[in-house]
């Protein structure tokens, strides 16, 4: 109960933040008109979408694909490993496409190949890296699609590591922005992508080593389109994709990411510059911690897992930034707790916090257990507990998944009602002259009406059966989510029944406050 009360006090503080009404008096700034067919501007830390144009329309990405390729390689390999280029890697590229002059049998490090990939947009380097990580380019494409789904991409499909023309290789500005955000959150990727010059070691074709310069002209001070603050990006071009461009820039601690699809040259540089100017001029980041939204326990003598709760914050917020218009105030931001967390949430997360400005999501955070306060012995004891049997799980959480809580099979769906047997026999006895039945004749129209009613009943029965099927399916899905939550809470040292009880108390407290406030306003009206 001590653990329950402490967590209840923390979540009560959260509910106070949730109860604020949305002010959002300040209008959202209107963005520039870009020439490209599709584009988006997001905050690179909060993920807030600041501007979009056809952001969910699918286009060919061309070589900006290599951002996803590089991210996967960095996450799944040692950069000092050596790669020997295969014949397939060298020759499975389009003629005259971007390359680093590599030949079959050339041996380079993963790091060298990544620089060739990002600085010189080398397609054979992309193939060699894909084979090194996944064994084949097809297997690597599967990894690309899995990573995209993990990042929340919903309208993308990748077929190769380079971005060369393929009708099954496409993405959207929104999805590409999610990929770029994840990439620029990786320090190793930023180090490589920020490089404007790199020299490869000697190869068969270039015994002195190829000198490579970044293709993204906005990164080069010698170019007229140079933009101060750019930390990286990637260009792309094919005849089908047109010009594509991803750019990340930082200024005054704020990071912005732009994506341009189906653009033209040099307009895609102008579009990018206009979007970055718009973002830096009109928006700001606020740290929610600065506005007393940290969730601390009140001073008390309770202990949780052997730790005094008045010594340190027990629940802490991670990634607690929001992006709002410069004229806005934090009071314009509302928040809500999310308890059905995705598998990608931090392991110590108890809930998620979504921040909104009006209807726009302007930030996301995780409400996490302060792992520094949890003794290792407690964590190991929790992990050493045997898995609960179905019966035990049912006692701990009435909503936990049981073996019988499976999606109904086709056999369990009620069959559509059939016509009565008597009606079928009489229909079989029908003659063109009518149907005799105990001395009188039933007109044919009556049988038509009868069978129409029977048919209508079958349709209604089928709809009822479908409704029952969908309800059972949703119940099964809810049970799965509850079981996932139960397991997460068990890992954190809480039972699901304790957590359900806590939420009921929090809801009751909130409703009591609302009723009290309602009575107050009613008295004022009188």
């Amino acid at each position: 109960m001590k653990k329950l009360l402490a967590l209840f006090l923390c979540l009560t503080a959260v509910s106070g933040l949730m109860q604020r009404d949305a002010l959002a008096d300040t209008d959202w700034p209107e963005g520039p008109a870009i020439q490209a067919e599709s584009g988006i501007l997001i905050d690179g830390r909060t993920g807030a979408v600041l501007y979009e144009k056809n952001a969910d329309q699918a286009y060919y990405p061309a070589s900006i694909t290599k951002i996803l390729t590089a991210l996967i390689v960095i996450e799944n390999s040692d950069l000092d490993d050596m790669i020997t280029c295969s014949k397939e890697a060298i020759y499975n590229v389009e003629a005259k496409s971007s390359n680093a002059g590599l030949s079959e049998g050339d041996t380079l490090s993963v790091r060298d190949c990544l620089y060739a990939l990002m600085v010189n947009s080398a397609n054979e380097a992309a193939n060699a890296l894909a084979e090194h990580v996944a064994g084949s380019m097809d297997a690597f494409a599967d990894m690309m699609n899995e990573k995209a789904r993990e990042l929340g991409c919903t309208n993308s499909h990748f077929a190769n590591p380079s971005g060369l023309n393929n009708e099954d290789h496409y993405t959207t500005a929104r999805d590409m922005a999610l990929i770029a955000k994840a990439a620029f959150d990786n320090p190793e990727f930023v180090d490589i992508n920020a490089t404007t010059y790199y020299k490869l070691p000697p190869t068969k074709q270039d015994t002195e080593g190829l000198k490579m310069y970044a293709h993204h002209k906005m990164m080069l001070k010698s170019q007229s389109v140079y933009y101060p603050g750019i930390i990286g990006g990637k260009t792309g071009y094919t005849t089908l994709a047109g010009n594509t461009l991803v750019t990340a820039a930082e200024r005054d601690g704020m990071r912005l990411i732009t994506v341009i699809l189906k653009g033209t040259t040099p307009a895609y540089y102008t579009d990018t510059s206009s979007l970055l100017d718009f973002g830096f001029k009109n928006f700001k980041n606020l740290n929610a911690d600065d506005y007393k939204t940290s969730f601390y326990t009140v001073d008390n003598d309770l202990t949780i897992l052997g730790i005094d709760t008045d010594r340190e914050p027990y629940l802490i917020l991670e990634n607690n930034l929001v992006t709002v218009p410069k004229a806005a105030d934090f009071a314009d931001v509302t928040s809500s707790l999310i308890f059905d967390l995705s598998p990608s949430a931090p392991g110590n997360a108890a809930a998620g916090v979504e921040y909104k400005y009006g209807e726009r999501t302007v930030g996301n955070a995780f409400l996490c257990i302060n792992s520094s306060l949890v003794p290792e012995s407690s964590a190991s004891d929790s992990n050493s507990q045997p898995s609960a049997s179905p019966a035990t799980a049912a006692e701990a959480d009435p909503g936990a998944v049981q073996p019988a809580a499976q999606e109904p099979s086709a056999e369990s769906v009620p069959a559509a009602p059939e016509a009565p047997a008597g009606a079928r026999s009489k229909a079989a006895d029908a003659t063109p002259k009518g149907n005799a039945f105990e001395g009188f004749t039933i007109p044919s129209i009556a049988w038509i009406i009868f069978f129409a009613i029977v048919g209508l009943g079958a349709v209604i029965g089928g709809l009822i059966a479908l409704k029952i099927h969908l309800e059972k399916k949703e119940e099964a899905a809810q049970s799965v989510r509850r079981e996932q939550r139960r397991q997460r809470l068990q890992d954190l040292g809480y039972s699901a029944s304790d957590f359900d009880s806590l939420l009921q108390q929090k809801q009751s407290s909130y409703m009591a406050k609302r009723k009290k406030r309602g009575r107050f306003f009613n008295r004022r009206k009188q």
Side-chain angles (χ1 to χ4, degrees), residues 1-3 5-10 296-304 307-312 314:
M1 284 303 296
K2 290 182 178 181
K3 291 189 295 182
L5 179 58
L7 187 56
F8 171 68
L9 293 172
C10 296
Y296 291 82
T297 56
V298 298
D299 291 341
N300 54 72
D301 59 355
L302 294 175
T303 59
I304 299 176
I307 300 297
D308 294 333
T309 57
D310 61 351
R311 193 180 70 189
E312 294 280 356
Y314 182 62

Side-chain angles (χ1 to χ4, degrees), residues 213-246:
Y213 298 87
H215 292 183
H216 196 321
K217 293 183 179 180
M218 295 179 71
M219 297 172 60
L220 306 175
K221 292 183 179 180
S222 60
Q223 298 294 322
S224 61
V225 294
Y226 170 71
Y227 193 96
I230 289 185
I231 62 171
K234 186 72 187 74
T235 60
Y237 174 79
T238 67
T239 54
L240 294 179
N243 290 101
T244 62
L245 186 65
V246 172

Side-chain angles (χ1 to χ4, degrees), residues 507-519:
Q507 184 178 14
S508 299
S509 175
Y510 174 57
M511 294 304 296
K513 289 180 180 179
R514 290 195 62 179
K515 290 180 179 178
K516 182 177 180 181
R517 185 169 57 184
R519 288 194 297 269

Side-chain angles (χ1 to χ4, degrees), residues 21 513-526:
D21 293 332
K513 289 180 180 179
R514 290 195 62 179
K515 290 180 179 178
K516 182 177 180 181
R517 185 169 57 184
R519 288 194 297 269
F520 172 76
F521 282 114
N522 288 335
R523 288 197 300 269
R524 291 192 62 182
K525 290 179 180 179
Q526 294 173 358

Side-chain angles (χ1 to χ4, degrees), residues 247-266:
T247 309
E250 291 184 352
R251 185 179 296 174
D252 299 327
M254 187 178 195
R255 176 184 295 173
L256 298 180
I257 295 174
T258 65
V259 178
I260 297 295
L261 297 179
K262 199 65 172 179
T264 58
T265 184

Side-chain angles (χ1 to χ4, degrees), residues 398-418:
V401 176
Q402 303 301 317
Q406 300 177 352
E407 181 177 337
S409 65
E411 295 177 355
S412 66
V413 179
E418 299 180 355

Side-chain angles (χ1 to χ4, degrees), residues 14-29:
V14 178
S15 66
L17 179 63
M18 291 167 53
Q19 292 170 24
R20 283 205 306 264
D21 293 332
L23 300 179
D25 292 330
T26 306
D27 292 335
W28 195 264

Side-chain angles (χ1 to χ4, degrees), residues 16-253:
L17 179 63
M18 291 167 53
Q19 292 170 24
R20 283 205 306 264
D21 293 332
L23 300 179
D25 292 330
T26 306
D27 292 335
W28 195 264
E30 184 177 354
I34 63 174
Q35 299 180 50
E37 291 190 16
S38 176
I40 197 170
L41 170 70
I42 70 167
D43 184 281
R45 291 192 171 89
T46 67
V49 177
L50 311 182
Y51 169 91
E52 61 181 282
K53 175 184 177 181
N54 297 329
D56 296 309
Q57 176 66 44
Y59 293 91
Y60 295 116
S63 284
I64 60 174
T65 297
K66 295 182 174 79
I67 294 175
L68 178 58
T69 298
L71 177 61
I72 294 174
V73 171
I74 291 170
E75 292 179 342
N76 292 277
S77 65
D78 186 331
L79 271 59
D80 293 322
D81 286 348
M82 302 304 293
I83 299 176
T84 299
C85 297
S86 70
K87 180 178 180 180
E88 179 73 7
I90 298 301
Y91 293 102
N92 190 15
V93 296
E94 293 182 8
K96 299 182 180 180
S97 61
S98 300
N99 63 84
L102 303 182
S103 302
E104 180 183 356
D106 278 339
T107 300
L108 296 88
S109 68
V110 171
R111 190 184 310 275
D112 287 330
C113 288
L114 282 170
Y115 277 106
L117 178 80
M118 298 307 297
V119 177
N120 217 50
S121 199
N123 293 314
E124 80 275 43
N127 292 343
L129 288 166
E131 290 183 339
H132 173 74
V133 170
S136 71
M137 284 174 272
D138 288 341
F140 189 81
D142 292 337
M143 292 181 67
M144 297 174 75
N145 290 313
E146 178 60 30
K147 182 64 175 180
R149 285 190 292 270
E150 176 187 321
L151 295 176
C153 301
T154 57
N155 294 299
S156 296
H157 188 270
F158 299 95
N160 60 65
S162 62
L164 291 176
N165 291 330
N166 188 309
E167 63 179 7
D168 292 326
H169 192 97
Y170 53 85
T171 190
T172 67
R174 192 183 311 279
D175 286 355
M176 199 66 220
L178 293 174
I179 293 169
K181 179 181 181 300
F184 284 102
D185 282 340
N186 187 299
E188 193 72 57
F189 175 88
V190 174
D191 287 344
I192 293 172
N193 190 226
T195 302
T196 57
Y197 167 79
Y198 190 80
K199 184 179 180 180
L200 286 178
T203 60
K204 292 180 181 179
Q205 289 190 42
D206 198 324
T207 57
E208 297 296 323
L210 180 66
K211 297 178 180 179
M212 304 180 299
Y213 298 87
H215 292 183
H216 196 321
K217 293 183 179 180
M218 295 179 71
M219 297 172 60
L220 306 175
K221 292 183 179 180
S222 60
Q223 298 294 322
S224 61
V225 294
Y226 170 71
Y227 193 96
I230 289 185
I231 62 171
K234 186 72 187 74
T235 60
Y237 174 79
T238 67
T239 54
L240 294 179
N243 290 101
T244 62
L245 186 65
V246 172
T247 309
E250 291 184 352
R251 185 179 296 174
D252 299 327

